[in-house]
Amino acid sequence: MKFSIFFLSILIINISAYNVFYPNFIKNKAIINNIDVNNLSKKEKIELYKLFNKIPVLIFKNQKIKPEEYYNFIKIFDPKHNNSIDLSNSKNQNINLVIKGSNNILNDDNDNDNYIWQQYVTGSNKYFTPIVGSIYMLDTSFSDEKILFASLEDAYDMINMRLKKILDRYTVLHSKSIKRQKNCAYDYTGLRIDYKKKYNDDDITEKSLIIYSDKTKKRRTLYLNPKKFLQIKELNYNDSYNLYRHLMKKYILHYSNIIAHKWDNNDICVFNNRKLMHTLSSKKLYRDIIYLECKLPTKQKIYDIEK
């Protein structure tokens, strides 16, 4: 009788607790089931924060919450989030409602077939690059939509030591120019090809090409946003683009470095924006997809390596 009661208590605990599943051999993505993100205990919030610092992509299944509840959930992943900044274009702070095809700024002739790689806010003079990015998929019922991630940490690890020593000395320039993003082409891998070298709305930032991925300073990562990349400061324009394409094609977009997720309705994806780049979809998939997007502002500085 005592054994039966003990077994029953274990069974109930297992049923009520959330579970974490790792679908890949390399634990770079975690799927979390049986969890209500709107009713987390203090202990669960601490556990999820620790998980986020280990695993760069977290997927929370079957969540039905309001935009303000979604925002409050996302904030647990960055204790230094900055509530005084709003990176959205909506009435809900830092939350954008996205209906695919309605708010795309890119040239219609150039991005019909290709994924477009990006990071959030990289290259801004006003804000630190967010640590936390997130998408809450509301409706993907009529689409075979996926989001892809590429690990910038793992890409750096793949680079040979000789090239690493060269890259460690370089400075990357990004531009926020909207005209540059509109008036360009994208090749079959989604890499941007500029038609002009300069635009009158260029807002250029400088940053070390190689940085630490977080405050522990245990791993290095590339600070490189294909959507806003302009040049390597120490190289001429053509050599900069050759290096950029070499890094993207040989290391960052290597097949072993890609993390994919096929959306279900009510999935919440939380990812480390400083460790990854992710895709925008081609316009051929821009239908019947509605989601909320969060770029969580942060007070957490970027940690430069010692040169």
Side-chain angles (χ1 to χ4, degrees):
M1 182 66 180
K2 288 183 179 180
F3 175 79
S4 298
I5 294 173
F6 176 72
F7 178 78
L8 181 60
S9 66
I10 293 177
L11 182 62
I12 291 172
I13 291 171
N14 286 339
I15 290 174
S16 62
Y18 67 85
N19 59 74
V20 181
F21 169 65
Y22 301 95
N24 302 330
F25 174 73
I26 299 174
K27 291 185 177 181
N28 49 21
K29 171 185 169 184
I31 297 176
I32 299 94
N33 291 295
N34 300 324
I35 190 169
D36 180 358
V37 300
N38 200 32
N39 290 287
L40 297 172
S41 67
K42 183 177 180 180
K43 180 182 178 182
E44 287 172 328
K45 290 178 181 179
I46 293 172
E47 289 173 349
L48 291 176
Y49 173 69
K50 289 180 179 178
L51 184 65
F52 175 75
N53 284 307
K54 295 178 181 178
I55 312 297
V57 179
L58 306 181
I59 306 294
F60 297 85
K61 304 295 290 184
N62 196 28
Q63 301 300 315
K64 298 179 180 180
I65 54 178
K66 299 175 181 178
E68 58 270 24
E69 295 168 339
Y70 168 54
Y71 181 56
N72 287 332
F73 168 61
I74 297 305
K75 289 192 292 186
I76 72 173
F77 298 100
D78 183 3
K80 291 192 175 183
H81 61 268
N82 190 345
N83 280 325
S84 65
I85 296 174
D86 188 359
L87 298 179
S88 71
N89 300 310
S90 68
K91 63 181 180 180
N92 296 304
Q93 185 181 32
N94 289 305
I95 301 294
N96 278 321
L97 174 64
V98 181
I99 301 174
K100 281 294 186 76
S102 68
N103 61 352
N104 183 59
I105 67 168
L106 301 173
N107 188 323
D108 288 353
D109 297 329
N110 294 325
D111 65 324
N112 285 331
D113 299 299
N114 304 319
Y115 282 103
I116 299 166
W117 292 91
Q118 68 162 359
Q119 279 182 302
Y120 288 143
V121 189
T122 309
S124 172
N125 282 303
K126 297 180 179 179
Y127 315 115
F128 288 129
T129 299
I131 296 172
V132 182
S134 179
I135 293 175
Y136 177 18
M137 184 57 67
L138 301 176
D139 187 2
T140 184
S141 303
F142 301 100
S143 173
D144 192 28
E145 176 77 342
K146 289 182 180 179
I147 185 170
L148 303 178
F149 299 92
S151 171
L152 296 170
E153 288 182 309
D154 291 345
Y156 180 80
D157 289 345
M158 293 167 65
I159 298 171
N160 66 68
M161 290 301 299
R162 183 178 179 184
L163 180 55
K164 280 180 181 176
K165 290 181 179 179
I166 296 171
L167 298 179
D168 286 350
R169 302 196 301 267
Y170 283 168
T171 304
V172 63
L173 307 181
H174 290 99
S175 172
K176 287 184 65 179
S177 168
I178 299 299
K179 292 181 180 179
R180 183 180 295 278
Q181 293 178 48
K182 285 183 176 180
N183 299 291
C184 65
Y186 289 84
D187 72 7
Y188 65 92
T189 60
L191 300 188
R192 197 186 79 244
I193 302 168
D194 285 338
Y195 292 137
K196 291 170 55 178
K197 292 183 180 180
K198 294 182 180 180
Y199 288 87
N200 58 16
D201 67 335
D202 274 325
D203 180 10
I204 298 171
T205 58
E206 296 185 13
K207 194 67 186 172
S208 298
L209 176 61
I210 308 301
I211 61 172
Y212 289 114
S213 58
D214 58 36
K215 63 183 180 181
T216 64
K217 298 184 178 181
K218 299 296 184 183
R219 295 189 70 183
R220 297 184 179 191
T221 186
L222 289 137
Y223 192 74
L224 185 63
N225 183 349
K227 193 177 174 184
K228 297 180 180 178
F229 172 77
L230 184 62
Q231 190 173 339
I232 301 299
K233 185 178 180 180
E234 293 80 4
L235 302 177
N236 65 41
Y237 186 82
N238 290 329
D239 286 347
S240 292
Y241 259 80
N242 285 334
L243 177 59
Y244 151 73
R245 296 180 67 81
H246 176 73
L247 293 173
M248 288 292 294
K249 300 231 177 183
K250 186 167 184 178
Y251 304 109
I252 298 171
L253 299 186
H254 190 275
Y255 70 91
S256 65
N257 197 35
I258 301 300
I259 307 165
H261 176 66
K262 184 179 182 302
W263 292 109
D264 290 319
N265 287 352
N266 303 314
D267 281 354
I268 295 179
C269 175
V270 182
F271 59 91
N272 194 312
N273 184 62
R274 291 192 183 176
K275 297 180 179 180
L276 304 164
M277 60 176 64
H278 67 280
T279 53
L280 292 172
S281 300
S282 65
K283 276 199 166 180
K284 286 187 175 178
L285 298 177
Y286 268 32
R287 54 186 176 84
D288 303 316
I289 302 170
I290 304 172
Y291 60 84
L292 297 177
E293 179 182 50
C294 179
K295 309 167 188 177
L296 187 64
T298 187
K299 298 177 183 177
Q300 184 69 263
K301 69 177 185 178
I302 295 171
Y303 293 89
D304 294 322
I305 64 171
E306 298 79 16
K307 294 189 178 182

